[in-house]
Amino acid sequence: MVKTILVVDDDPAVLQSYGRLLRRLGHRVLLSEDSEKVMTDPESLREIDLLILDQRMPRTSGLSLLAGLRRRAAASPGAQGAAGAAPAVILISAFLSHELRVEAIRLGVVEIIEKPIDTAHLLASVRAALSAAACPRPVDPLIPR
């Protein structure tokens, strides 16, 4: 079954690279370098099964974007993924910290991938995230949502 992946990154060359790589999996890949448009467009997550976010972008961070998207989805339940659930999320970052990891988990990120990206790891992570999208992760009672 063909899934839809949305990648948000401010670097057009990186976006094109991700697009070429992810299309090898046979899925539909959408690319956006405009995090504000993704945030404000109520249709931006419709039919999206996987969201891949860069953490450091000029106007917002990947986690800030995700938090805003989660708030928007909670306010309008129809703006969810193709299966009627929130899309799985992979975060990509060059600078990892304990705080970033905790916030990512709190927001439901399924995996954080550290730059530089290993393409085999990214592809494996995408496959895993898409196959697990129908099985939501249990909520950790120690991390507030």
Side-chain angles (χ1 to χ4, degrees):
M1 173 186 234
V2 174
K3 304 278 186 165
T4 301
I5 302 167
L6 172 61
V7 183
V8 183
D9 193 303
D10 61 299
D11 185 330
V14 169
L15 273 178
Q16 294 307 316
S17 175
Y18 286 157
R20 281 190 303 275
L21 179 67
L22 295 170
R23 286 185 184 101
R24 291 183 198 170
L25 297 175
H27 298 297
R28 181 174 170 234
V29 180
L30 306 174
L31 306 172
S32 178
E33 59 185 274
D34 189 347
S35 58
E36 286 182 0
K37 182 177 181 195
V38 171
M39 175 54 126
T40 58
D41 180 1
E43 300 293 313
S44 63
L45 293 186
R46 190 168 306 283
E47 305 293 323
I48 301 297
D49 299 290
L50 175 62
L51 184 58
I52 299 176
L53 301 173
D54 184 39
Q55 173 58 14
R56 285 205 168 173
M57 294 183 278
R59 291 185 237 161
T60 188
S61 71
L63 289 181
S64 294
L65 174 59
L66 180 57
L69 291 170
R70 295 281 196 235
R71 283 190 301 275
R72 187 182 80 201
S76 60
Q80 296 177 334
V89 180
I90 294 175
L91 182 71
I92 297 177
S93 180
F95 305 99
L96 299 181
S97 67
H98 175 73
E99 293 78 17
L100 179 107
R101 290 178 193 276
V102 169
E103 182 65 7
I105 291 168
R106 187 183 75 75
L107 290 170
V109 171
V110 296
E111 185 171 0
I112 302 170
I113 299 176
E114 188 171 11
K115 291 180 181 178
I117 300 296
D118 173 274
T119 56
H121 180 206
L122 177 61
L123 291 173
S125 298
V126 167
R127 283 187 198 100
L130 288 173
S131 68
C135 306
R137 292 175 20 182
V139 174
D140 184 336
L142 300 177
I143 300 174
R145 287 198 182 247

